[in-house]
Amino acid sequence: MSDYPVNKDVHPQVTAFFDEDTNTISYVVKDPGSNACAVVDSVMDIDMAAGRITYDQADAMIAHIEREGLSLEWIIETHVHADHLSAAPYIQERLGGKVGIGEKIMVVQDVFGKIFNEGTEFQRDGSQFDRLFKDGDTYTVGGMTCFAIHTPGHTPACMTHVMGDAAFVGDTLFMPDGGSARADFPGGDAGELYDSIQKVLGLPDAMRLFMCHDYGPGGRDIAWETTVAEEKANNIHVGGGKTREEFVQFRTERDAQLNMPRLILPSLQVNMRAGEVPCDRDGNPMLKLPINRL
């Protein structure tokens, strides 16, 4: 990991927000030396049966930022989520900040632009976002230097974001007893996911790792923070020296048994647009339901 500007002496304050409906954990990350902060993987609420969008989860994050007197500089998406909708535009409108995602968003937009039969007005160049990160790109939150690691496998655009001694892994890893995320979405690859996990596990052992999802395996309480050392030793899918071949075989067999995420169709349409809900020809917010395409 010597090519990445790791600085484990910087200890940002991380505040987690758990969304029970989607088992998503969003974060407000504060620079320890200033009032600057970043938001990671925000959630917009949707009632599919009623076709209604609300913002309770995002409002809780906004209230925290305002209560603490913080200045929002970045709204980070670790990837194009398939299980929840991003609240990035809603938060940006109220607090400012730049919205960033991995540059491979263009691959995701191209694939799902076809699945959803989007017209030529849908730009597939990532221009909906303020910043497209490449592997190793740096940015700052206040005086804290942060960087992005390209960690594909779950999706082509997955990035792990490292802020001081805290790394936000998206869906690349789960808690040690949860293992890893699926790799069977279009553009996913189990071998790439294993390689990406090794990048994360190459960070210093004491690096704090923050998950995007947790499902409380075995009925335990929801958890979202672990360390590189704990994952290397105890992760049920990759820990203890499991080989790439073992992981690919397990992940492939396991993925074949999984159903599509409950919110995949609205999530992809919204998230590939940086959180904006698409509209019909008359300007009304409208989602599509492609049949037999996934």
Side-chain angles (χ1 to χ4, degrees), residues 227-279:
T227 66
V228 168
E230 290 172 351
E231 292 280 17
K232 284 197 294 189
N234 299 315
N235 186 283
I236 58 173
H237 294 172
V238 295
K242 288 187 176 62
T243 67
R244 192 178 195 271
E245 291 72 21
E246 291 173 325
F247 177 81
V248 169
Q249 179 177 348
F250 163 79
R251 190 69 265 171
T252 302
E253 293 173 354
R254 172 62 177 153
D255 289 349
Q257 303 170 17
L258 298 176
N259 295 322
M260 285 289 108
R262 176 173 58 93
L263 295 178
I264 187 170
L265 293 175
S267 295
L268 291 173
Q269 292 174 76
V270 168
N271 295 339
M272 70 182 183
R273 292 176 165 86
E276 295 285 356
V277 179
C279 294

Short mmCIF file of all heavy atoms in Angstrom, two decimals, residues 227-279:
data_model
loop_
_atom_site.label_atom_id
_atom_site.label_comp_id
_atom_site.label_asym_id
_atom_site.label_seq_id
_atom_site.Cartn_x
_atom_site.Cartn_y
_atom_site.Cartn_z
N THR A 227 -11.75 -3.72 12.04
CA THR A 227 -10.40 -3.33 11.65
C THR A 227 -9.87 -4.27 10.58
O THR A 227 -10.40 -5.37 10.37
CB THR A 227 -9.43 -3.36 12.85
OG1 THR A 227 -9.28 -4.72 13.29
CG2 THR A 227 -9.91 -2.48 13.99
N VAL A 228 -8.81 -3.84 9.92
CA VAL A 228 -8.15 -4.70 8.95
C VAL A 228 -7.70 -6.00 9.61
O VAL A 228 -7.90 -7.10 9.06
CB VAL A 228 -6.96 -3.97 8.30
CG1 VAL A 228 -6.09 -4.94 7.51
CG2 VAL A 228 -7.45 -2.84 7.38
N ALA A 229 -7.10 -5.90 10.79
CA ALA A 229 -6.60 -7.10 11.48
C ALA A 229 -7.73 -8.09 11.76
O ALA A 229 -7.56 -9.31 11.56
CB ALA A 229 -5.91 -6.70 12.77
N GLU A 230 -8.88 -7.58 12.19
CA GLU A 230 -10.00 -8.47 12.49
C GLU A 230 -10.53 -9.14 11.23
O GLU A 230 -10.88 -10.33 11.24
CB GLU A 230 -11.10 -7.67 13.18
CG GLU A 230 -10.74 -7.25 14.60
CD GLU A 230 -11.75 -6.29 15.21
OE1 GLU A 230 -12.65 -5.81 14.46
OE2 GLU A 230 -11.66 -6.01 16.41
N GLU A 231 -10.59 -8.39 10.13
CA GLU A 231 -11.06 -8.98 8.87
C GLU A 231 -10.09 -10.04 8.37
O GLU A 231 -10.50 -11.11 7.91
CB GLU A 231 -11.25 -7.89 7.81
CG GLU A 231 -12.41 -6.94 8.09
CD GLU A 231 -13.76 -7.51 7.72
OE1 GLU A 231 -13.89 -8.74 7.54
OE2 GLU A 231 -14.72 -6.72 7.60
N LYS A 232 -8.80 -9.75 8.43
CA LYS A 232 -7.81 -10.72 7.95
C LYS A 232 -7.88 -12.03 8.73
O LYS A 232 -7.74 -13.11 8.18
CB LYS A 232 -6.40 -10.13 8.05
CG LYS A 232 -6.08 -9.12 6.98
CD LYS A 232 -4.60 -8.86 6.82
CE LYS A 232 -3.97 -8.21 8.01
NZ LYS A 232 -2.58 -7.77 7.75
N ALA A 233 -8.11 -11.92 10.02
CA ALA A 233 -8.12 -13.11 10.86
C ALA A 233 -9.44 -13.87 10.80
O ALA A 233 -9.45 -15.11 10.82
CB ALA A 233 -7.81 -12.72 12.31
N ASN A 234 -10.57 -13.12 10.72
CA ASN A 234 -11.85 -13.76 11.02
C ASN A 234 -12.92 -13.65 9.94
O ASN A 234 -14.00 -14.23 10.11
CB ASN A 234 -12.41 -13.16 12.31
CG ASN A 234 -11.50 -13.39 13.50
OD1 ASN A 234 -10.98 -14.48 13.70
ND2 ASN A 234 -11.28 -12.33 14.28
N ASN A 235 -12.69 -12.95 8.85
CA ASN A 235 -13.74 -12.84 7.84
C ASN A 235 -14.07 -14.23 7.29
O ASN A 235 -13.17 -14.96 6.84
CB ASN A 235 -13.32 -11.92 6.70
CG ASN A 235 -14.45 -11.68 5.71
OD1 ASN A 235 -14.75 -12.53 4.88
ND2 ASN A 235 -15.08 -10.52 5.81
N ILE A 236 -15.34 -14.59 7.31
CA ILE A 236 -15.73 -15.96 6.98
C ILE A 236 -15.55 -16.29 5.50
O ILE A 236 -15.56 -17.46 5.13
CB ILE A 236 -17.19 -16.23 7.40
CG1 ILE A 236 -18.15 -15.24 6.72
CG2 ILE A 236 -17.33 -16.16 8.92
CD1 ILE A 236 -19.63 -15.56 6.95
N HIS A 237 -15.40 -15.28 4.64
CA HIS A 237 -15.22 -15.54 3.22
C HIS A 237 -13.78 -15.43 2.76
O HIS A 237 -13.38 -16.13 1.81
CB HIS A 237 -16.08 -14.57 2.38
CG HIS A 237 -17.55 -14.77 2.55
ND1 HIS A 237 -18.48 -13.91 2.01
CD2 HIS A 237 -18.25 -15.74 3.20
CE1 HIS A 237 -19.70 -14.33 2.32
NE2 HIS A 237 -19.58 -15.43 3.04
N VAL A 238 -12.99 -14.55 3.37
CA VAL A 238 -11.63 -14.33 2.89
C VAL A 238 -10.57 -14.40 3.99
O VAL A 238 -9.38 -14.36 3.69
CB VAL A 238 -11.50 -12.95 2.19
CG1 VAL A 238 -12.34 -12.91 0.93
CG2 VAL A 238 -11.88 -11.82 3.14
N GLY A 239 -10.98 -14.49 5.23
CA GLY A 239 -10.02 -14.49 6.32
C GLY A 239 -9.26 -15.80 6.45
O GLY A 239 -9.61 -16.81 5.84
N GLY A 240 -8.19 -15.77 7.24
CA GLY A 240 -7.42 -16.98 7.51
C GLY A 240 -6.69 -17.53 6.32
O GLY A 240 -6.39 -18.73 6.26
N GLY A 241 -6.40 -16.67 5.32
CA GLY A 241 -5.60 -17.12 4.19
C GLY A 241 -6.35 -17.85 3.10
O GLY A 241 -5.74 -18.58 2.31
N LYS A 242 -7.66 -17.68 3.01
CA LYS A 242 -8.42 -18.34 1.95
C LYS A 242 -7.91 -17.88 0.58
O LYS A 242 -7.61 -16.72 0.36
CB LYS A 242 -9.91 -18.04 2.08
CG LYS A 242 -10.57 -18.76 3.26
CD LYS A 242 -12.08 -18.56 3.25
CE LYS A 242 -12.75 -19.37 4.36
NZ LYS A 242 -12.30 -18.95 5.71
N THR A 243 -7.81 -18.81 -0.35
CA THR A 243 -7.24 -18.53 -1.66
C THR A 243 -8.26 -17.88 -2.58
O THR A 243 -9.48 -17.93 -2.34
CB THR A 243 -6.73 -19.81 -2.34
OG1 THR A 243 -7.86 -20.65 -2.65
CG2 THR A 243 -5.76 -20.56 -1.43
N ARG A 244 -7.75 -17.30 -3.65
CA ARG A 244 -8.62 -16.70 -4.66
C ARG A 244 -9.56 -17.73 -5.25
O ARG A 244 -10.75 -17.47 -5.46
CB ARG A 244 -7.75 -16.06 -5.74
CG ARG A 244 -8.48 -15.14 -6.72
CD ARG A 244 -7.47 -14.55 -7.71
NE ARG A 244 -7.97 -13.40 -8.45
CZ ARG A 244 -8.63 -13.48 -9.60
NH1 ARG A 244 -8.86 -14.66 -10.15
NH2 ARG A 244 -9.03 -12.37 -10.22
N GLU A 245 -9.03 -18.92 -5.54
CA GLU A 245 -9.83 -19.99 -6.14
C GLU A 245 -10.96 -20.41 -5.20
O GLU A 245 -12.11 -20.62 -5.64
CB GLU A 245 -8.96 -21.18 -6.49
CG GLU A 245 -7.98 -20.94 -7.63
CD GLU A 245 -6.82 -20.03 -7.24
OE1 GLU A 245 -6.53 -19.91 -6.01
OE2 GLU A 245 -6.21 -19.41 -8.14
N GLU A 246 -10.66 -20.54 -3.92
CA GLU A 246 -11.69 -20.91 -2.95
C GLU A 246 -12.78 -19.85 -2.88
O GLU A 246 -13.98 -20.15 -2.83
CB GLU A 246 -11.06 -21.10 -1.57
CG GLU A 246 -10.17 -22.33 -1.44
CD GLU A 246 -9.44 -22.37 -0.12
OE1 GLU A 246 -9.05 -21.31 0.41
OE2 GLU A 246 -9.26 -23.50 0.40
N PHE A 247 -12.36 -18.60 -2.88
CA PHE A 247 -13.32 -17.50 -2.79
C PHE A 247 -14.21 -17.45 -4.02
O PHE A 247 -15.43 -17.34 -3.91
CB PHE A 247 -12.60 -16.17 -2.62
CG PHE A 247 -13.53 -14.98 -2.59
CD1 PHE A 247 -14.20 -14.65 -1.43
CD2 PHE A 247 -13.74 -14.22 -3.74
CE1 PHE A 247 -15.08 -13.55 -1.40
CE2 PHE A 247 -14.61 -13.13 -3.72
CZ PHE A 247 -15.28 -12.81 -2.55
N VAL A 248 -13.62 -17.53 -5.22
CA VAL A 248 -14.40 -17.45 -6.46
C VAL A 248 -15.42 -18.59 -6.52
O VAL A 248 -16.59 -18.37 -6.89
CB VAL A 248 -13.47 -17.48 -7.69
CG1 VAL A 248 -14.28 -17.67 -8.97
CG2 VAL A 248 -12.64 -16.20 -7.76
N GLN A 249 -15.03 -19.78 -6.15
CA GLN A 249 -15.96 -20.91 -6.18
C GLN A 249 -17.12 -20.68 -5.21
O GLN A 249 -18.29 -20.84 -5.57
CB GLN A 249 -15.25 -22.21 -5.83
CG GLN A 249 -16.20 -23.42 -5.83
CD GLN A 249 -15.47 -24.73 -5.54
OE1 GLN A 249 -14.25 -24.80 -5.55
NE2 GLN A 249 -16.24 -25.79 -5.29
N PHE A 250 -16.77 -20.27 -3.98
CA PHE A 250 -17.82 -20.04 -2.98
C PHE A 250 -18.74 -18.91 -3.43
O PHE A 250 -19.97 -19.04 -3.39
CB PHE A 250 -17.21 -19.69 -1.63
CG PHE A 250 -18.21 -19.05 -0.69
CD1 PHE A 250 -19.12 -19.83 -0.01
CD2 PHE A 250 -18.27 -17.66 -0.54
CE1 PHE A 250 -20.07 -19.25 0.82
CE2 PHE A 250 -19.21 -17.08 0.29
CZ PHE A 250 -20.11 -17.87 0.98
N ARG A 251 -18.16 -17.78 -3.85
CA ARG A 251 -18.94 -16.60 -4.17
C ARG A 251 -19.86 -16.88 -5.35
O ARG A 251 -21.02 -16.46 -5.37
CB ARG A 251 -18.00 -15.43 -4.48
CG ARG A 251 -18.59 -14.05 -4.62
CD ARG A 251 -19.09 -13.49 -3.32
NE ARG A 251 -20.51 -13.74 -3.15
CZ ARG A 251 -21.16 -13.50 -2.03
NH1 ARG A 251 -20.54 -13.02 -0.97
NH2 ARG A 251 -22.46 -13.74 -1.94
N THR A 252 -19.36 -17.60 -6.36
CA THR A 252 -20.16 -17.91 -7.54
C THR A 252 -21.34 -18.80 -7.17
O THR A 252 -22.48 -18.58 -7.62
CB THR A 252 -19.30 -18.59 -8.61
OG1 THR A 252 -18.20 -17.73 -8.95
CG2 THR A 252 -20.11 -18.90 -9.86
N GLU A 253 -21.08 -19.83 -6.36
CA GLU A 253 -22.16 -20.73 -5.94
C GLU A 253 -23.18 -20.01 -5.07
O GLU A 253 -24.39 -20.22 -5.21
CB GLU A 253 -21.58 -21.93 -5.20
CG GLU A 253 -20.74 -22.84 -6.10
CD GLU A 253 -20.02 -23.93 -5.32
OE1 GLU A 253 -20.10 -23.91 -4.06
OE2 GLU A 253 -19.40 -24.81 -5.96
N ARG A 254 -22.70 -19.18 -4.18
CA ARG A 254 -23.59 -18.45 -3.28
C ARG A 254 -24.45 -17.45 -4.05
O ARG A 254 -25.66 -17.34 -3.82
CB ARG A 254 -22.76 -17.72 -2.22
CG ARG A 254 -23.54 -16.76 -1.32
CD ARG A 254 -24.58 -17.47 -0.51
NE ARG A 254 -25.26 -16.55 0.40
CZ ARG A 254 -26.50 -16.73 0.84
NH1 ARG A 254 -27.19 -17.81 0.46
NH2 ARG A 254 -27.05 -15.86 1.66
N ASP A 255 -23.84 -16.72 -4.99
CA ASP A 255 -24.59 -15.70 -5.74
C ASP A 255 -25.72 -16.31 -6.56
O ASP A 255 -26.76 -15.67 -6.77
CB ASP A 255 -23.64 -14.92 -6.64
CG ASP A 255 -22.72 -14.00 -5.85
OD1 ASP A 255 -22.94 -13.81 -4.64
OD2 ASP A 255 -21.76 -13.47 -6.45
N ALA A 256 -25.52 -17.53 -7.03
CA ALA A 256 -26.55 -18.18 -7.85
C ALA A 256 -27.82 -18.46 -7.04
O ALA A 256 -28.89 -18.69 -7.63
CB ALA A 256 -26.00 -19.49 -8.42
N GLN A 257 -27.71 -18.41 -5.72
CA GLN A 257 -28.86 -18.70 -4.86
C GLN A 257 -29.58 -17.43 -4.39
O GLN A 257 -30.64 -17.51 -3.76
CB GLN A 257 -28.40 -19.47 -3.62
CG GLN A 257 -27.67 -20.76 -3.92
CD GLN A 257 -27.02 -21.36 -2.67
OE1 GLN A 257 -27.35 -21.00 -1.55
NE2 GLN A 257 -26.07 -22.26 -2.88
N LEU A 258 -29.04 -16.25 -4.71
CA LEU A 258 -29.58 -15.01 -4.17
C LEU A 258 -30.64 -14.40 -5.08
O LEU A 258 -30.54 -14.46 -6.31
CB LEU A 258 -28.44 -13.99 -3.99
CG LEU A 258 -27.33 -14.39 -3.02
CD1 LEU A 258 -26.23 -13.32 -3.02
CD2 LEU A 258 -27.87 -14.60 -1.61
N ASN A 259 -31.65 -13.80 -4.47
CA ASN A 259 -32.64 -13.04 -5.21
C ASN A 259 -32.11 -11.64 -5.48
O ASN A 259 -31.16 -11.18 -4.84
CB ASN A 259 -33.94 -12.94 -4.41
CG ASN A 259 -34.61 -14.29 -4.22
OD1 ASN A 259 -34.60 -15.12 -5.14
ND2 ASN A 259 -35.21 -14.50 -3.06
N MET A 260 -32.73 -10.94 -6.43
CA MET A 260 -32.37 -9.55 -6.68
C MET A 260 -32.76 -8.70 -5.46
O MET A 260 -33.76 -8.97 -4.80
CB MET A 260 -33.10 -9.02 -7.91
CG MET A 260 -32.55 -9.51 -9.23
SD MET A 260 -30.94 -8.79 -9.64
CE MET A 260 -29.88 -10.21 -9.40
N PRO A 261 -31.97 -7.67 -5.14
CA PRO A 261 -32.35 -6.78 -4.04
C PRO A 261 -33.73 -6.16 -4.27
O PRO A 261 -34.10 -5.84 -5.41
CB PRO A 261 -31.25 -5.71 -4.07
CG PRO A 261 -30.07 -6.39 -4.71
CD PRO A 261 -30.67 -7.31 -5.73
N ARG A 262 -34.46 -5.95 -3.19
CA ARG A 262 -35.83 -5.46 -3.26
C ARG A 262 -35.95 -4.13 -3.99
O ARG A 262 -36.93 -3.88 -4.70
CB ARG A 262 -36.36 -5.33 -1.82
CG ARG A 262 -37.75 -4.74 -1.67
CD ARG A 262 -38.20 -4.83 -0.22
NE ARG A 262 -37.28 -4.15 0.68
CZ ARG A 262 -37.42 -2.87 1.06
NH1 ARG A 262 -38.43 -2.15 0.59
NH2 ARG A 262 -36.56 -2.32 1.90
N LEU A 263 -34.97 -3.25 -3.84
CA LEU A 263 -35.06 -1.91 -4.41
C LEU A 263 -34.11 -1.70 -5.59
O LEU A 263 -33.78 -0.57 -5.93
CB LEU A 263 -34.76 -0.86 -3.32
CG LEU A 263 -35.76 -0.78 -2.17
CD1 LEU A 263 -35.31 0.27 -1.15
CD2 LEU A 263 -37.17 -0.47 -2.67
N ILE A 264 -33.68 -2.78 -6.24
CA ILE A 264 -32.66 -2.63 -7.28
C ILE A 264 -33.15 -1.76 -8.44
O ILE A 264 -32.40 -0.93 -8.96
CB ILE A 264 -32.18 -4.01 -7.79
CG1 ILE A 264 -31.00 -3.81 -8.75
CG2 ILE A 264 -33.28 -4.82 -8.41
CD1 ILE A 264 -30.28 -5.10 -9.12
N LEU A 265 -34.41 -1.90 -8.87
CA LEU A 265 -34.87 -1.16 -10.05
C LEU A 265 -34.97 0.34 -9.79
O LEU A 265 -34.45 1.13 -10.59
CB LEU A 265 -36.19 -1.74 -10.55
CG LEU A 265 -36.07 -3.16 -11.12
CD1 LEU A 265 -37.44 -3.72 -11.48
CD2 LEU A 265 -35.16 -3.18 -12.34
N PRO A 266 -35.58 0.80 -8.72
CA PRO A 266 -35.53 2.25 -8.48
C PRO A 266 -34.14 2.75 -8.12
O PRO A 266 -33.74 3.84 -8.54
CB PRO A 266 -36.50 2.45 -7.31
CG PRO A 266 -36.58 1.14 -6.63
CD PRO A 266 -36.43 0.12 -7.73
N SER A 267 -33.38 1.95 -7.37
CA SER A 267 -32.05 2.39 -6.92
C SER A 267 -31.13 2.68 -8.09
O SER A 267 -30.46 3.72 -8.14
CB SER A 267 -31.41 1.34 -6.01
OG SER A 267 -32.14 1.19 -4.82
N LEU A 268 -31.07 1.78 -9.05
CA LEU A 268 -30.14 1.96 -10.17
C LEU A 268 -30.52 3.18 -11.01
O LEU A 268 -29.65 3.95 -11.43
CB LEU A 268 -30.12 0.70 -11.04
CG LEU A 268 -29.47 -0.53 -10.39
CD1 LEU A 268 -29.66 -1.75 -11.28
CD2 LEU A 268 -27.99 -0.29 -10.11
N GLN A 269 -31.81 3.37 -11.26
CA GLN A 269 -32.23 4.51 -12.07
C GLN A 269 -31.86 5.84 -11.40
O GLN A 269 -31.46 6.79 -12.07
CB GLN A 269 -33.75 4.45 -12.29
CG GLN A 269 -34.18 3.31 -13.18
CD GLN A 269 -35.69 3.20 -13.26
OE1 GLN A 269 -36.34 3.98 -13.96
NE2 GLN A 269 -36.27 2.24 -12.55
N VAL A 270 -32.02 5.89 -10.09
CA VAL A 270 -31.73 7.12 -9.35
C VAL A 270 -30.24 7.30 -9.14
O VAL A 270 -29.68 8.38 -9.37
CB VAL A 270 -32.49 7.11 -8.00
CG1 VAL A 270 -32.00 8.23 -7.09
CG2 VAL A 270 -33.99 7.24 -8.25
N ASN A 271 -29.56 6.25 -8.70
CA ASN A 271 -28.16 6.39 -8.29
C ASN A 271 -27.21 6.61 -9.45
O ASN A 271 -26.17 7.26 -9.29
CB ASN A 271 -27.75 5.17 -7.46
CG ASN A 271 -28.52 5.09 -6.16
OD1 ASN A 271 -29.06 6.09 -5.69
ND2 ASN A 271 -28.59 3.90 -5.58
N MET A 272 -27.54 6.09 -10.63
CA MET A 272 -26.65 6.36 -11.77
C MET A 272 -26.80 7.80 -12.24
O MET A 272 -26.01 8.27 -13.07
CB MET A 272 -26.91 5.37 -12.91
CG MET A 272 -28.22 5.52 -13.64
SD MET A 272 -28.35 4.22 -14.93
CE MET A 272 -29.92 4.67 -15.68
N ARG A 273 -27.80 8.51 -11.69
CA ARG A 273 -28.00 9.94 -11.96
C ARG A 273 -27.55 10.78 -10.77
O ARG A 273 -28.00 11.92 -10.62
CB ARG A 273 -29.47 10.21 -12.26
CG ARG A 273 -29.99 9.62 -13.57
CD ARG A 273 -31.48 9.88 -13.70
NE ARG A 273 -31.97 9.66 -15.07
CZ ARG A 273 -32.34 8.48 -15.54
NH1 ARG A 273 -32.30 7.40 -14.78
NH2 ARG A 273 -32.78 8.37 -16.79
N ALA A 274 -26.71 10.26 -9.92
CA ALA A 274 -26.21 10.97 -8.74
C ALA A 274 -27.32 11.32 -7.77
O ALA A 274 -27.27 12.33 -7.07
CB ALA A 274 -25.45 12.23 -9.14
N GLY A 275 -28.36 10.48 -7.70
CA GLY A 275 -29.44 10.67 -6.74
C GLY A 275 -30.65 11.41 -7.28
O GLY A 275 -31.63 11.59 -6.56
N GLU A 276 -30.61 11.83 -8.53
CA GLU A 276 -31.75 12.52 -9.12
C GLU A 276 -32.78 11.50 -9.62
O GLU A 276 -32.43 10.50 -10.25
CB GLU A 276 -31.32 13.40 -10.29
CG GLU A 276 -30.41 14.56 -9.91
CD GLU A 276 -31.15 15.69 -9.21
OE1 GLU A 276 -32.41 15.61 -9.10
OE2 GLU A 276 -30.49 16.66 -8.79
N VAL A 277 -34.05 11.77 -9.35
CA VAL A 277 -35.12 10.91 -9.84
C VAL A 277 -35.41 11.27 -11.30
O VAL A 277 -35.60 12.45 -11.62
CB VAL A 277 -36.39 11.07 -8.99
CG1 VAL A 277 -37.52 10.19 -9.53
CG2 VAL A 277 -36.11 10.73 -7.53
N PRO A 278 -35.44 10.30 -12.22
CA PRO A 278 -35.71 10.63 -13.62
C PRO A 278 -37.14 11.15 -13.79
O PRO A 278 -38.02 10.89 -12.96
CB PRO A 278 -35.52 9.30 -14.34
CG PRO A 278 -35.71 8.26 -13.29
CD PRO A 278 -35.21 8.86 -12.02
N CYS A 279 -37.36 11.87 -14.87
CA CYS A 279 -38.68 12.45 -15.15
C CYS A 279 -39.19 11.99 -16.51
O CYS A 279 -38.41 11.62 -17.40
CB CYS A 279 -38.60 13.97 -15.13
SG CYS A 279 -38.23 14.67 -13.49
#
